[in-house]
């Protein structure tokens, strides 16, 4: 770790001492039992060898416990360092999103580490049985932070996720500042030499016109204006002759009159059409109810005028059928058209209103 730069922050890891020391404690107890057996139960050289083996187990258990308790995590400007007693490992940071993965509870992702049975993991692991990752998890935490590194994503279970995320943010900002300082300044290009513009000869001063020259100039301008007017009139006459000839030519045996544009008033016909155009109503439910209202009005006119046929007769049944078809049936058709064919709602409504008008005419004339 001597070649590494000073860390930005040291991150406290979530630790479960009971789970971390469970395996070393069992090994130490087994070593102690072997020592007792070698000294008490077995005599001679074999007992001493057995006691030495037990002592070796106790030493291994103590070293393992100290290593597990000495694990530290440090965040540097461009890497994450994991240190322990007698060793270390560096994970260079790479570009990518920092995410959170759920390891316990509903919708938890499966994490297969070498010491997963003990509830903690160090080193290589496999996430969701698919992605190989590195893990630093010293407690059965519910979540872990996944950080992209050159060795794959690193799963960290910190004591405070906010502390780790804040350290990673500071590392990213520090790395950006270092990259900005490391970039060479852009080379300053000397401005191109300015070539002097060639000197132009001075313009001669304007000469005043004499009276005869001024009169000749005015006459020439008047002639040019007259010639332009004659050309414009000739073009208008030719266009009128063409339109008249086109209007007189028969198409399918029927002359088709064409509109003759009025000179000097372009767009007048378009403005006239826009002035007299009737806006098309937008299809809505109120428009679909107009046939029902028209049929009701026709029925009311028949009742008020005493023109309704007597009930029970064929004429009364036909009249009722006509009112139903012109009113409710047409409104239902208009609602259906409003849902599937909005462009024909006006046609359906107009047909129902026209039927109501014919019914009223028939009742009045009966």
């Amino acid at each position: 770790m001597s070649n590494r730069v000073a860390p930005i922050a040291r991150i406290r890891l979530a630790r479960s001492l009971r789970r971390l020391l469970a395996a070393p404690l069992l090994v130490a107890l087994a070593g102690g039992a072997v020592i007792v057996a070698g000294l008490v139960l077995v005599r001679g050289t074999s007992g001493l060898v057995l006691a030495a083996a037990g002592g070796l187990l106790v030493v291994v258990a103590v070293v393992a416990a100290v290593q597990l308790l000495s694990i530290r995590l440090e965040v540097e400007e461009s890497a994450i360092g994991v240190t322990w007693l007698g060793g270390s490992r560096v994970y260079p940071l790479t570009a990518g999103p920092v995410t959170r993965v759920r390891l316990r509870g509903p919708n938890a992702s499966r994490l297969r580490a070498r010491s997963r049975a003990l509830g903690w993991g160090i080193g290589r692991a496999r996430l969701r049985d698919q992605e190989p990752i590195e893990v630093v998890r010293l407690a059965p935490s519910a979540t872990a932070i996944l950080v992209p590194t050159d060795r794959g994503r690193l799963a960290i279970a910190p004591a405070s996720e906010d502390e780790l995320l804040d350290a990673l943010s500071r590392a990213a900002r520090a790395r950006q500042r270092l990259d900005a300082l490391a970039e060479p300044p852009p080379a300053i290009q000397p401005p191109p030499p300015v070539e002097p513009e060639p000197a132009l000869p001075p313009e001669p001063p304007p000469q005043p016109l004499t009276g005869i020259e001024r009169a000749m100039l005015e006459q020439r301008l008047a002639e040019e204006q007259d010639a332009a007017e004659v050309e414009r009139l000739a073009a208008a006459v030719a266009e009128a002759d063409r339109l008249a000839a086109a209007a007189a030519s028969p198409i399918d045996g029927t002359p088709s009159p064409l509109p003759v544009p009025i000179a000097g008033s372009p767009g007048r016909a378009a403005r006239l059409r826009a002035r007299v155009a009737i806006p098309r109503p937008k299809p809505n439910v109120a428009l679909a109810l107009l046939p029902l209202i028209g049929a009701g009005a026709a029925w009311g006119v028949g009742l008020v005028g005493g023109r309704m046929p007597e009930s029970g007769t064929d004429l009364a049944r036909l009249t009722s059928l006509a009112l139903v078809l012109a009113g409710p049936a047409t409104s239902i058709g208009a609602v259906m058209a409003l849902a599937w064919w909005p462009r024909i709602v006006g046609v359906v409504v107009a047909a129902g209103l026209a039927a109501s008008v014919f019914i009223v005419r028939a009742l009045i004339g009966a």
Side-chain angles (χ1 to χ4, degrees), residues 170 172-182:
R170 285 188 290 160
R173 290 193 295 268
R175 185 62 181 176
Q176 291 176 357
R177 289 194 297 267
L178 290 178
D179 293 342
L181 293 175

Side-chain angles (χ1 to χ4, degrees), residues 42-285:
V42 180
R43 297 183 181 276
T45 306
S46 300
L48 295 177
V49 172
L50 192 60
L56 182 61
L57 288 178
V58 173
V59 172
V60 169
V62 172
V63 172
V66 172
Q67 284 185 337
L68 288 176
L69 295 177
S70 65
I71 294 176
R72 298 289 183 270
L73 188 137
E74 300 174 347
V75 177
E76 302 175 2
E77 294 177 353
S78 59
I80 292 179
V82 180
T83 63
W84 60 88
L85 182 63
S88 65
R89 183 172 295 176
V90 179
Y91 298 90
L93 296 174
T94 59
V98 177
T99 58
R100 178 187 290 107
V101 61
R102 181 175 294 277
L103 301 177
R104 298 179 63 184
N107 301 325
S109 300
R110 186 175 183 181
L111 180 66
R112 296 175 59 89
R114 288 178 295 182
S115 57
R116 62 182 183 275
L118 302 176
W120 54 270
I122 295 292
R124 295 179 181 178
R126 187 170 291 272
L127 181 64
R128 304 184 187 94
D129 294 333
Q130 296 178 354
E131 181 185 0
I133 63 172
E134 297 279 334
V135 63
V136 179
R137 184 171 179 240
L138 304 181
S141 57
T143 59
I145 301 298
L146 292 176
V147 183
T149 68
D150 280 348
R151 299 190 178 190
R153 293 203 291 178
L154 176 63
I156 305 172
S160 174
E161 293 184 353
D162 294 337
E163 181 182 1
L164 175 60
L165 296 176
D166 180 67
L168 292 174
S169 300
R170 285 188 290 160
R173 290 193 295 268
R175 185 62 181 176
Q176 291 176 357
R177 289 194 297 267
L178 290 178
D179 293 342
L181 293 175
E183 292 181 357
I188 301 176
Q189 299 292 337
V194 180
E195 298 181 356
E197 298 182 355
L200 298 177
E203 297 182 357
Q207 299 293 334
L209 298 178
T210 62
I212 296 176
E213 290 176 344
R214 188 180 297 107
M216 293 176 63
L217 179 60
E218 292 176 354
Q219 182 180 1
R220 185 168 64 254
L221 293 176
E223 291 176 355
E224 291 177 356
Q225 291 178 358
D226 294 340
E229 185 68 20
V230 170
E231 290 179 359
R232 187 180 65 82
L233 292 176
V237 171
E239 182 68 17
D241 293 341
R242 187 184 65 80
L243 294 175
S249 61
I251 300 176
D252 296 335
T254 305
S256 57
L258 296 177
V260 179
I262 303 174
S265 58
R268 181 177 179 183
R271 291 196 300 270
L272 183 61
R273 286 194 301 270
R275 188 180 301 124
V276 301
I278 300 176
R280 183 178 64 183
K282 295 182 179 180
N284 50 33
V285 179

